[in-house]
Amino acid sequence: MSSSKLPASEVSKAGENRTRSEFPAVSHAAARRQSAQRRRSFRYRFPRDDRALGGKYSVADNSRILLRFFYLERRLSQALGAWTLAIPEFEVKLETGRHLFYHADAAKLLRERLHEQELTLAKIDAFRDQSIDDFIEELLSAADVAELLVGIHQVVGRALATAYRHHIDDTDSVTDAPTIRMLRRILLDYEPMLTWADDAVAAYVEGGIDESRLAQWRWHVARLLQSIGGATGDVPTCPPPAPLRHQQRPFQRCTSPQRDERFVTFANTGDYDTADGTPRFPSSSYESLRLRFLRTQRDEVDAIEAFGTFLWDIRFQDFQAEYDLARITWDETRHTETGHRALLAAGYDPFELPNRLTGSTCRGPMEPAFAMAEINLFGEVGVLKTIGGLIDEAEERRDDLLYHVADFIRADERTHVRKGRHIIRVMTDLGSQELELRTRELFTECLVSLGVVKLDMDVFTVSREDIEHLVGE
Ligand SMILES: [Fe+2]
Ligand SMILES: [Fe+2]
């Protein structure tokens, strides 16, 4: 039945007797009765979806707020990368390698959502905020690792988690559901990260770090965050605290790898047998290669430092390269954890085995392109040359432990070699031959200065194979 044939009395206008709408609904009474009847007789009572339309934000509001979240996440990932060399405590270095990926992954999810909210990727990637940059510089000026954790996790991490929960509550749960789902996924990483950070700060305090110093720093950083409008930018501001450390002394990243006192370290050789003095197994026996592999994995604590530092050094050059570096850093965290656990499972106290610092000592102060060429083109490619044979031999000898860990590590290292190509292109315009030669020259200089190799010719550059052996990954 068409509306023109209905009597006027049967046409009801929604909104009559209430605030007059300019857009009345023209509902046909008969059709409405029939639809009610059909709904009553429909057999299935599915769960009711009670989400309501509304919410506080337009697309423009959403993209303004999410862009600030994106920028904070991107900067936190870079900032943690800047500290990877400087953190002595093993557990904290590992968690930091994981957390910097959590922040990079949050940035990636936000970036994708922003792109769906009418912003171009070029505009998102080019976004900068000077007041956030100043805030990050102050976080980086932490006096020690405990202060770093206080600023990064207990102040801005917690503020972001709260802001995400509020945004989830405040935005439209129907029209903006992808934003809600994305923020919930980010919070899945935040919950264990912030809990761990609270426990870690408590451990520092119990171990003798002055709690009042940390409380002072927490107050200082929290006031500075409020002075720039908080995580959302909408918090009523206060004057910034003074003085600011980064204004007195600009932040510079550490260049030498730090270890806690449980480790014995060496950098005068790249060879474990030489470092040990008394070799544990006949060289080139399966047992020797096996232990060398497991130790190398544990000693990839230096790869966390390498890739984390690259993330800082090449910040803002290319988002995908930053993201890949953050992910590789997390992978190297897992290799270190895997190595540590595998050494235990093989019957060792991992701390009885001296930790090789040769590679990280050379890479620490180096330009990222050459340090990256060493660890990626020599180290990771070098691992792939030998790992297949080791896995085959482990299988033959029914060495389940080595087989299991090497199987996963091989897959990761192949992925790193693949991702490395793009990262190196972002880092340098040098051709591969020139890059390799310059890298070998720089490592020769470094290895000579450490006493790893002797300079006994006028013109001498260590070979690619030497670097693979002496520096490893
Ligand atoms: Fe690795
Ligand atoms: Fe790797």
Side-chain angles (χ1 to χ4, degrees), residues 80 83 87 89 92-93 95-96 99 139 142 144-157 194 196-202 204 214 217-218:
L80 286 175
W83 262 77
I87 298 171
E89 292 78 23
V92 183
K93 204 186 282 278
E95 289 302 330
T96 299
H99 295 159
L139 287 186
D144 57 14
V145 184
E147 284 193 359
L148 182 77
L149 299 184
V150 163
I152 297 251
H153 297 296
Q154 293 192 323
V155 177
V156 66
L194 297 185
W196 176 86
D198 285 343
D199 293 345
V201 170
Y204 276 121
L214 298 185
W217 180 246
R218 191 180 295 112

Side-chain angles (χ1 to χ4, degrees), residues 158-341:
R158 192 178 288 180
L160 276 168
T162 305
Y164 294 161
R165 284 193 293 267
H166 287 174
H167 201 87
I168 287 169
D169 288 343
D170 287 343
T171 196
D172 190 310
S173 54
V174 179
T175 56
D176 196 24
T179 297
I180 293 175
R181 179 168 181 273
M182 171 200 65
L183 292 174
R184 284 193 182 135
R185 286 174 65 185
I186 295 173
L187 285 171
L188 284 181
D189 284 339
Y190 263 70
E191 280 152 22
M193 176 165 68
L194 297 185
T195 302
W196 176 86
D198 285 343
D199 293 345
V201 170
Y204 276 121
V205 170
E206 276 163 37
I209 300 275
D210 180 4
E211 188 174 8
S212 68
R213 174 167 67 79
L214 298 185
Q216 260 185 321
W217 180 246
R218 191 180 295 112
W219 177 258
H220 173 83
V221 175
R223 293 296 284 178
L224 184 59
L225 181 60
Q226 195 186 332
S227 78
I228 63 167
T232 57
D234 293 337
V235 173
T237 57
C238 63
L244 294 175
R245 286 183 194 172
H246 77 272
Q247 285 175 348
Q248 295 173 325
R249 191 164 158 262
F251 170 74
Q252 279 191 314
R253 75 160 173 84
C254 172
T255 54
S256 65
Q258 305 298 307
R259 295 289 177 275
D260 68 56
E261 62 258 34
R262 288 168 295 179
F263 286 100
V264 172
T265 62
F266 65 92
N268 63 322
T269 174
D271 182 73
Y272 286 122
D273 282 347
T274 311
D276 288 351
T278 310
R280 290 159 203 264
F281 297 104
S283 68
S284 75
S285 64
Y286 175 73
E287 288 74 14
S288 172
L289 294 174
R290 176 184 198 260
L291 182 59
R292 182 172 194 271
F293 180 80
L294 296 181
R295 293 177 75 170
T296 301
Q297 295 313 309
R298 192 281 307 270
D299 289 352
E300 289 202 351
V301 66
D302 73 356
I304 301 172
E305 296 166 332
F307 293 106
T309 301
F310 301 153
L311 172 58
W312 172 255
D313 286 353
I314 67 145
R315 61 194 181 278
F316 294 126
Q317 285 181 36
D318 178 84
F319 182 80
Q320 186 63 44
E322 282 176 43
Y323 182 77
D324 287 344
L325 284 169
R327 175 54 203 256
I328 294 173
T329 308
W330 178 36
D331 296 348
E332 303 300 359
T333 296
R334 288 198 316 284
H335 296 173
T336 308
E337 295 173 313
T338 304
H340 182 86
R341 282 164 174 75

Side-chain angles (χ1 to χ4, degrees), residues 58-68 114 117-119:
S58 64
V59 169
D61 297 332
N62 220 14
S63 49
R64 177 179 52 79
I65 298 167
L66 297 187
L67 189 58
R68 186 175 173 94
L114 282 162
Q117 298 282 283
E118 312 278 22
L119 292 188

Side-chain angles (χ1 to χ4, degrees), residues 300 303 307 328 331-332 335 375-376 380 412-413 416-417 473:
E300 289 202 351
F307 293 106
I328 294 173
D331 296 348
E332 303 300 359
H335 296 173
I375 196 166
N376 183 249
E380 290 175 319
D412 286 346
E413 299 301 2
H416 295 179
V417 169
E473 197 221 336

Side-chain angles (χ1 to χ4, degrees), residues 69-120:
F69 292 161
F70 162 79
Y71 194 68
L72 280 163
E73 294 288 1
R74 186 180 193 181
R75 297 258 41 203
L76 287 174
S77 178
Q78 297 167 347
L80 286 175
W83 262 77
T84 48
L85 278 161
I87 298 171
E89 292 78 23
F90 186 57
E91 291 81 353
V92 183
K93 204 186 282 278
L94 291 176
E95 289 302 330
T96 299
R98 198 181 340 270
H99 295 159
L100 68 82
F101 174 68
Y102 287 174
H103 288 299
D105 204 39
K108 177 170 175 275
L109 291 169
L110 285 155
R111 182 174 180 262
E112 283 164 6
R113 183 62 184 144
L114 282 162
H115 193 32
E116 294 165 352
Q117 298 282 283
E118 312 278 22
L119 292 188
T120 62

